[in-house]
Amino acid sequence: MTFAHDLLAAVRDKSSRVCVGIDPMPERFPEAIRPTSDDPRAIVDSFYEFTTGVLDAVADVAACVKFQSAYFERYHADGVEAYFELIGEAKQKGLLVIGDAKRGDIGATSAAYAAGHLGPHPADDADTPDALTVNPMLGLDTLDSFGEVAADHGKGLFVLVRTSNPGSADLQDVVLQDGRTWSEMLADELFKMTAGNSEDGLSFINAVVGATQPHTMASLRKRLPRSFFLLPGYGTQGGTAETAKAAFAEGTPGAIVSASRSVLYPTERSGDWKQSIAHAAQAMRRDLASVVG
């Protein structure tokens, strides 16, 4: 089984297109577990309690979770150790994990990134993600090493194609001489790459397309029919089930929709903090199901 097949199975088993982003922001943790000092070790210790609580709360609802590595790397060695150990914890709970690291480089550097983020982890209580976000800005050869490691270990890639941030239009919507946008050109090139590694119509090469970008969603979906889309930006950034709708065209694997702050730190609270997170994830699943099935 490859990552794409595992993800499709999780979507079907849980009737869910929800991806919960793991973005630990200690200043927003529930008061009971909020760190009381600026000591990095104490802060990272609170990451464990918060993240395991989140994983318990969403395990039955989310098709996958997405760990944002920046929030962990901020705390150096302790944070990076927590990142990999908590990924292992998520997988023990039966969750697929996307590592959101947005790596992209060439040659030996790219190979080192690929091995570190997708290869086997030497520690028994840690693991690497099932898939990784990658940045193709340096050129398509940046994907070579990541693709080789992903193929060897049955993992997946999510290539940044059209991102959710407002400034992305400055580069990604630039119109080329042939009339395509930069993002459309990239999608066409990625489609060529999927042809040689697809199985049962699914590829390990997938795409990040912001849920906040409905104006280009349909065009990119037609260009990448074998790929899952990862749609960040739902909730706090303004993405909705309706803006994501075009990613679910018939004959494609559709998409998973990612939310972080709106699920992790819900404004509407009921019961304890874990229950509030579970309710927020359930509400998101219902919202998506009402539009995309």
Side-chain angles (χ1 to χ4, degrees):
M1 293 287 286
T2 65
F3 167 75
H5 291 89
D6 290 341
L7 182 56
L8 188 60
V11 165
R12 290 172 175 169
D13 291 347
K14 297 181 181 181
S15 299
S16 177
R17 294 285 181 168
V18 172
C19 173
V20 174
I22 307 298
D23 294 10
M25 303 167 71
E27 68 276 10
R28 300 189 66 176
F29 285 1
E31 188 172 354
I33 64 169
R34 194 175 301 162
T36 57
S37 77
D38 294 331
D39 176 63
R41 183 65 255 179
I43 293 172
V44 171
D45 284 346
S46 72
F47 278 23
Y48 285 91
E49 187 170 1
F50 178 72
T51 303
T52 54
V54 171
L55 297 174
D56 287 336
V58 306
D60 294 333
V61 180
C64 60
V65 292
K66 177 173 70 68
F67 278 69
Q68 172 49 260
S69 67
Y71 289 99
F72 295 87
E73 292 176 37
R74 176 182 177 183
Y75 296 101
H76 304 282
D78 289 335
V80 171
E81 180 181 19
Y83 173 79
F84 288 107
E85 288 185 354
L86 286 165
I87 285 172
E89 184 78 15
K91 294 173 92 167
Q92 288 177 21
K93 295 179 186 298
L95 284 159
L96 290 171
V97 178
I98 299 169
D100 193 359
K102 299 181 179 69
R103 295 298 193 260
D105 215 312
I106 57 173
T109 307
S110 181
Y113 277 140
H117 283 274
L118 291 170
H121 197 290
D124 291 337
D125 59 350
D127 209 335
T128 54
D130 299 293
L132 185 70
T133 59
V134 290
N135 188 338
M137 185 58 75
L138 270 69
L140 293 178
D141 54 344
T142 62
L143 304 180
D144 291 345
S145 293
F146 293 103
E148 291 170 7
V149 176
D152 287 346
H153 297 285
K155 298 197 174 186
L157 303 178
F158 281 95
V159 183
L160 303 182
V161 175
R162 183 60 175 85
T163 57
S164 60
N165 56 302
S168 59
D170 297 342
L171 300 179
Q172 297 166 22
D173 282 352
V174 169
V175 178
L176 308 180
Q177 287 184 335
D178 61 11
R180 296 178 296 170
T181 65
W182 184 90
S183 290
E184 289 172 335
M185 176 275 297
L186 175 58
D188 287 340
E189 294 303 313
L190 292 177
F191 175 72
K192 297 173 188 177
M193 298 174 71
T194 69
N197 62 60
S198 62
E199 181 182 347
D200 300 331
L202 296 173
S203 174
F204 69 76
I205 296 176
N206 306 290
V208 177
V209 179
T212 56
Q213 309 299 329
H215 68 287
T216 193
M217 191 86 70
S219 173
L220 297 174
R221 179 74 279 178
K222 289 177 183 177
R223 287 174 155 82
L224 288 167
R226 303 186 184 104
S227 300
F228 267 101
F229 280 11
L230 168 62
L231 309 180
Y234 177 94
T236 302
Q237 292 186 51
T240 66
E242 193 62 38
T243 63
K245 190 173 182 178
F248 295 85
E250 187 175 354
T252 73
I256 47 174
V257 182
S258 178
S260 301
R261 284 168 285 175
S262 59
V263 173
L264 300 185
Y265 314 109
T267 54
E268 296 183 12
R269 299 180 183 274
S270 57
D272 69 10
W273 64 272
K274 293 183 223 177
Q275 188 175 43
S276 296
I277 290 171
H279 288 170
Q282 291 160 4
M284 180 180 173
R285 178 170 65 177
R286 289 193 300 270
D287 181 44
L288 293 173
S290 71
V291 175
V292 302

mmCIF file of all heavy atoms in Angstrom, residues 23-49:
data_model
loop_
_atom_site.group_PDB
_atom_site.id
_atom_site.type_symbol
_atom_site.label_atom_id
_atom_site.label_comp_id
_atom_site.label_asym_id
_atom_site.label_seq_id
_atom_site.Cartn_x
_atom_site.Cartn_y
_atom_site.Cartn_z
ATOM 1 N N ASP A 23 -0.349 22.730 15.222
ATOM 2 C CA ASP A 23 0.432 23.965 15.335
ATOM 3 C C ASP A 23 0.453 24.379 16.806
ATOM 4 O O ASP A 23 -0.351 25.216 17.240
ATOM 5 C CB ASP A 23 -0.215 25.091 14.518
ATOM 6 C CG ASP A 23 -0.203 24.841 13.018
ATOM 7 O OD1 ASP A 23 0.133 23.727 12.603
ATOM 8 O OD2 ASP A 23 -0.543 25.779 12.273
ATOM 9 N N PRO A 24 1.340 23.825 17.607
ATOM 10 C CA PRO A 24 1.335 24.135 19.047
ATOM 11 C C PRO A 24 1.806 25.554 19.328
ATOM 12 O O PRO A 24 2.953 25.906 19.070
ATOM 13 C CB PRO A 24 2.275 23.089 19.642
ATOM 14 C CG PRO A 24 3.131 22.638 18.513
ATOM 15 C CD PRO A 24 2.341 22.813 17.263
ATOM 16 N N MET A 25 0.913 26.356 19.864
ATOM 17 C CA MET A 25 1.205 27.749 20.224
ATOM 18 C C MET A 25 0.975 27.865 21.722
ATOM 19 O O MET A 25 -0.173 28.001 22.169
ATOM 20 C CB MET A 25 0.300 28.695 19.441
ATOM 21 C CG MET A 25 0.431 28.498 17.926
ATOM 22 S SD MET A 25 -0.883 29.327 16.977
ATOM 23 C CE MET A 25 -0.389 31.028 17.213
ATOM 24 N N PRO A 26 2.018 27.771 22.537
ATOM 25 C CA PRO A 26 1.832 27.637 23.986
ATOM 26 C C PRO A 26 1.044 28.773 24.623
ATOM 27 O O PRO A 26 0.343 28.571 25.615
ATOM 28 C CB PRO A 26 3.261 27.569 24.537
ATOM 29 C CG PRO A 26 4.156 28.000 23.432
ATOM 30 C CD PRO A 26 3.442 27.693 22.159
ATOM 31 N N GLU A 27 1.120 29.968 24.051
ATOM 32 C CA GLU A 27 0.365 31.090 24.617
ATOM 33 C C GLU A 27 -1.142 30.912 24.458
ATOM 34 O O GLU A 27 -1.930 31.597 25.117
ATOM 35 C CB GLU A 27 0.815 32.410 23.972
ATOM 36 C CG GLU A 27 0.464 32.580 22.510
ATOM 37 C CD GLU A 27 1.455 31.923 21.557
ATOM 38 O OE1 GLU A 27 2.332 31.164 22.038
ATOM 39 O OE2 GLU A 27 1.339 32.160 20.341
ATOM 40 N N ARG A 28 -1.551 29.972 23.601
ATOM 41 C CA ARG A 28 -2.974 29.721 23.381
ATOM 42 C C ARG A 28 -3.437 28.390 23.969
ATOM 43 O O ARG A 28 -4.588 28.015 23.801
ATOM 44 C CB ARG A 28 -3.299 29.777 21.886
ATOM 45 C CG ARG A 28 -2.990 31.122 21.250
ATOM 46 C CD ARG A 28 -3.498 31.239 19.837
ATOM 47 N NE ARG A 28 -4.957 31.217 19.784
ATOM 48 C CZ ARG A 28 -5.656 31.377 18.659
ATOM 49 N NH1 ARG A 28 -5.018 31.560 17.503
ATOM 50 N NH2 ARG A 28 -6.979 31.337 18.665
ATOM 51 N N PHE A 29 -2.537 27.684 24.631
ATOM 52 C CA PHE A 29 -2.926 26.416 25.256
ATOM 53 C C PHE A 29 -3.976 26.662 26.336
ATOM 54 O O PHE A 29 -4.052 27.756 26.912
ATOM 55 C CB PHE A 29 -1.708 25.745 25.897
ATOM 56 C CG PHE A 29 -0.743 25.111 24.926
ATOM 57 C CD1 PHE A 29 -0.955 25.154 23.560
ATOM 58 C CD2 PHE A 29 0.397 24.466 25.392
ATOM 59 C CE1 PHE A 29 -0.068 24.565 22.670
ATOM 60 C CE2 PHE A 29 1.295 23.883 24.516
ATOM 61 C CZ PHE A 29 1.063 23.941 23.159
ATOM 62 N N PRO A 30 -4.769 25.636 26.652
ATOM 63 C CA PRO A 30 -5.662 25.751 27.807
ATOM 64 C C PRO A 30 -4.866 26.126 29.054
ATOM 65 O O PRO A 30 -3.720 25.687 29.238
ATOM 66 C CB PRO A 30 -6.259 24.347 27.930
ATOM 67 C CG PRO A 30 -6.130 23.767 26.559
ATOM 68 C CD PRO A 30 -4.882 24.340 25.976
ATOM 69 N N GLU A 31 -5.458 26.923 29.887
ATOM 70 C CA GLU A 31 -4.732 27.469 31.040
ATOM 71 C C GLU A 31 -4.133 26.379 31.915
ATOM 72 O O GLU A 31 -3.037 26.535 32.469
ATOM 73 C CB GLU A 31 -5.668 28.354 31.866
ATOM 74 C CG GLU A 31 -4.965 29.116 32.967
ATOM 75 C CD GLU A 31 -5.860 30.124 33.648
ATOM 76 O OE1 GLU A 31 -7.005 30.314 33.194
ATOM 77 O OE2 GLU A 31 -5.415 30.722 34.643
ATOM 78 N N ALA A 32 -4.824 25.255 32.017
ATOM 79 C CA ALA A 32 -4.370 24.186 32.913
ATOM 80 C C ALA A 32 -3.036 23.586 32.485
ATOM 81 O O ALA A 32 -2.302 23.042 33.316
ATOM 82 C CB ALA A 32 -5.426 23.093 33.008
ATOM 83 N N ILE A 33 -2.703 23.678 31.196
ATOM 84 C CA ILE A 33 -1.453 23.069 30.723
ATOM 85 C C ILE A 33 -0.523 24.103 30.109
ATOM 86 O O ILE A 33 0.516 23.736 29.555
ATOM 87 C CB ILE A 33 -1.729 21.930 29.712
ATOM 88 C CG1 ILE A 33 -2.408 22.474 28.447
ATOM 89 C CG2 ILE A 33 -2.553 20.828 30.345
ATOM 90 C CD1 ILE A 33 -2.455 21.460 27.320
ATOM 91 N N ARG A 34 -0.863 25.360 30.204
ATOM 92 C CA ARG A 34 -0.018 26.415 29.637
ATOM 93 C C ARG A 34 1.279 26.502 30.442
ATOM 94 O O ARG A 34 1.241 26.513 31.672
ATOM 95 C CB ARG A 34 -0.760 27.742 29.673
ATOM 96 C CG ARG A 34 -0.144 28.858 28.816
ATOM 97 C CD ARG A 34 -1.038 30.075 28.839
ATOM 98 N NE ARG A 34 -2.376 29.764 28.327
ATOM 99 C CZ ARG A 34 -3.445 30.501 28.542
ATOM 100 N NH1 ARG A 34 -3.348 31.589 29.304
ATOM 101 N NH2 ARG A 34 -4.613 30.154 28.027
ATOM 102 N N PRO A 35 2.436 26.568 29.777
ATOM 103 C CA PRO A 35 3.696 26.669 30.525
ATOM 104 C C PRO A 35 3.746 27.959 31.327
ATOM 105 O O PRO A 35 3.278 29.009 30.880
ATOM 106 C CB PRO A 35 4.769 26.638 29.425
ATOM 107 C CG PRO A 35 4.053 26.983 28.166
ATOM 108 C CD PRO A 35 2.650 26.521 28.314
ATOM 109 N N THR A 36 4.299 27.868 32.514
ATOM 110 C CA THR A 36 4.329 29.015 33.429
ATOM 111 C C THR A 36 5.671 29.748 33.424
ATOM 112 O O THR A 36 5.874 30.681 34.187
ATOM 113 C CB THR A 36 4.017 28.554 34.861
ATOM 114 O OG1 THR A 36 4.950 27.537 35.238
ATOM 115 C CG2 THR A 36 2.600 27.994 34.951
ATOM 116 N N SER A 37 6.584 29.309 32.573
ATOM 117 C CA SER A 37 7.876 29.995 32.461
ATOM 118 C C SER A 37 8.297 29.992 31.002
ATOM 119 O O SER A 37 7.678 29.347 30.149
ATOM 120 C CB SER A 37 8.936 29.292 33.315
ATOM 121 O OG SER A 37 9.392 28.110 32.690
ATOM 122 N N ASP A 38 9.371 30.724 30.715
ATOM 123 C CA ASP A 38 9.910 30.780 29.351
ATOM 124 C C ASP A 38 10.990 29.731 29.112
ATOM 125 O O ASP A 38 11.663 29.766 28.079
ATOM 126 C CB ASP A 38 10.489 32.171 29.078
ATOM 127 C CG ASP A 38 9.421 33.249 29.055
ATOM 128 O OD1 ASP A 38 8.268 32.938 28.701
ATOM 129 O OD2 ASP A 38 9.740 34.409 29.406
ATOM 130 N N ASP A 39 11.151 28.838 30.058
ATOM 131 C CA ASP A 39 12.152 27.788 29.907
ATOM 132 C C ASP A 39 11.779 26.889 28.724
ATOM 133 O O ASP A 39 10.676 26.320 28.703
ATOM 134 C CB ASP A 39 12.231 26.950 31.181
ATOM 135 C CG ASP A 39 13.198 25.797 31.030
ATOM 136 O OD1 ASP A 39 14.398 26.047 30.829
ATOM 137 O OD2 ASP A 39 12.737 24.632 31.090
ATOM 138 N N PRO A 40 12.644 26.751 27.730
ATOM 139 C CA PRO A 40 12.299 25.962 26.542
ATOM 140 C C PRO A 40 11.900 24.527 26.859
ATOM 141 O O PRO A 40 10.993 23.967 26.225
ATOM 142 C CB PRO A 40 13.581 26.013 25.695
ATOM 143 C CG PRO A 40 14.255 27.262 26.128
ATOM 144 C CD PRO A 40 13.952 27.407 27.590
ATOM 145 N N ARG A 41 12.544 23.921 27.846
ATOM 146 C CA ARG A 41 12.211 22.536 28.188
ATOM 147 C C ARG A 41 10.794 22.443 28.737
ATOM 148 O O ARG A 41 10.038 21.532 28.392
ATOM 149 C CB ARG A 41 13.207 22.015 29.214
ATOM 150 C CG ARG A 41 13.055 20.567 29.617
ATOM 151 C CD ARG A 41 13.318 19.622 28.453
ATOM 152 N NE ARG A 41 12.107 19.037 27.912
ATOM 153 C CZ ARG A 41 12.059 18.204 26.889
ATOM 154 N NH1 ARG A 41 13.174 17.846 26.295
ATOM 155 N NH2 ARG A 41 10.932 17.728 26.459
ATOM 156 N N ALA A 42 10.421 23.407 29.564
ATOM 157 C CA ALA A 42 9.059 23.404 30.112
ATOM 158 C C ALA A 42 8.030 23.617 29.007
ATOM 159 O O ALA A 42 6.949 23.008 29.017
ATOM 160 C CB ALA A 42 8.931 24.494 31.182
ATOM 161 N N ILE A 43 8.363 24.481 28.054
ATOM 162 C CA ILE A 43 7.447 24.726 26.943
ATOM 163 C C ILE A 43 7.275 23.466 26.108
ATOM 164 O O ILE A 43 6.153 23.075 25.756
ATOM 165 C CB ILE A 43 7.957 25.900 26.091
ATOM 166 C CG1 ILE A 43 7.880 27.191 26.895
ATOM 167 C CG2 ILE A 43 7.149 26.019 24.805
ATOM 168 C CD1 ILE A 43 8.532 28.385 26.211
ATOM 169 N N VAL A 44 8.382 22.804 25.795
ATOM 170 C CA VAL A 44 8.292 21.579 24.995
ATOM 171 C C VAL A 44 7.550 20.485 25.762
ATOM 172 O O VAL A 44 6.781 19.712 25.172
ATOM 173 C CB VAL A 44 9.697 21.114 24.558
ATOM 174 C CG1 VAL A 44 9.648 19.736 23.916
ATOM 175 C CG2 VAL A 44 10.302 22.128 23.579
ATOM 176 N N ASP A 45 7.747 20.407 27.067
ATOM 177 C CA ASP A 45 6.985 19.437 27.858
ATOM 178 C C ASP A 45 5.485 19.665 27.697
ATOM 179 O O ASP A 45 4.702 18.709 27.608
ATOM 180 C CB ASP A 45 7.362 19.548 29.340
ATOM 181 C CG ASP A 45 8.711 18.917 29.656
ATOM 182 O OD1 ASP A 45 9.237 18.174 28.806
ATOM 183 O OD2 ASP A 45 9.251 19.186 30.756
ATOM 184 N N SER A 46 5.075 20.941 27.644
ATOM 185 C CA SER A 46 3.651 21.223 27.464
ATOM 186 C C SER A 46 3.176 20.819 26.077
ATOM 187 O O SER A 46 1.994 20.501 25.886
ATOM 188 C CB SER A 46 3.371 22.708 27.710
ATOM 189 O OG SER A 46 3.868 23.522 26.672
ATOM 190 N N PHE A 47 4.087 20.805 25.086
ATOM 191 C CA PHE A 47 3.724 20.340 23.743
ATOM 192 C C PHE A 47 3.225 18.900 23.783
ATOM 193 O O PHE A 47 2.281 18.540 23.069
ATOM 194 C CB PHE A 47 4.941 20.406 22.810
ATOM 195 C CG PHE A 47 5.224 21.754 22.227
ATOM 196 C CD1 PHE A 47 4.788 22.929 22.833
ATOM 197 C CD2 PHE A 47 5.956 21.868 21.057
ATOM 198 C CE1 PHE A 47 5.055 24.165 22.290
ATOM 199 C CE2 PHE A 47 6.240 23.103 20.487
ATOM 200 C CZ PHE A 47 5.793 24.257 21.109
ATOM 201 N N TYR A 48 3.901 18.076 24.581
ATOM 202 C CA TYR A 48 3.521 16.669 24.646
ATOM 203 C C TYR A 48 2.096 16.520 25.176
ATOM 204 O O TYR A 48 1.276 15.800 24.592
ATOM 205 C CB TYR A 48 4.499 15.885 25.530
ATOM 206 C CG TYR A 48 5.829 15.604 24.888
ATOM 207 C CD1 TYR A 48 6.903 16.486 25.025
ATOM 208 C CD2 TYR A 48 6.039 14.438 24.148
ATOM 209 C CE1 TYR A 48 8.133 16.227 24.441
ATOM 210 C CE2 TYR A 48 7.271 14.168 23.561
ATOM 211 C CZ TYR A 48 8.311 15.067 23.715
ATOM 212 O OH TYR A 48 9.525 14.818 23.117
ATOM 213 N N GLU A 49 1.800 17.205 26.264
ATOM 214 C CA GLU A 49 0.463 17.067 26.851
ATOM 215 C C GLU A 49 -0.607 17.610 25.911
ATOM 216 O O GLU A 49 -1.661 16.993 25.723
ATOM 217 C CB GLU A 49 0.407 17.781 28.199
ATOM 218 C CG GLU A 49 -0.905 17.543 28.937
ATOM 219 C CD GLU A 49 -0.885 18.038 30.372
ATOM 220 O OE1 GLU A 49 0.153 18.596 30.804
ATOM 221 O OE2 GLU A 49 -1.900 17.851 31.069
#
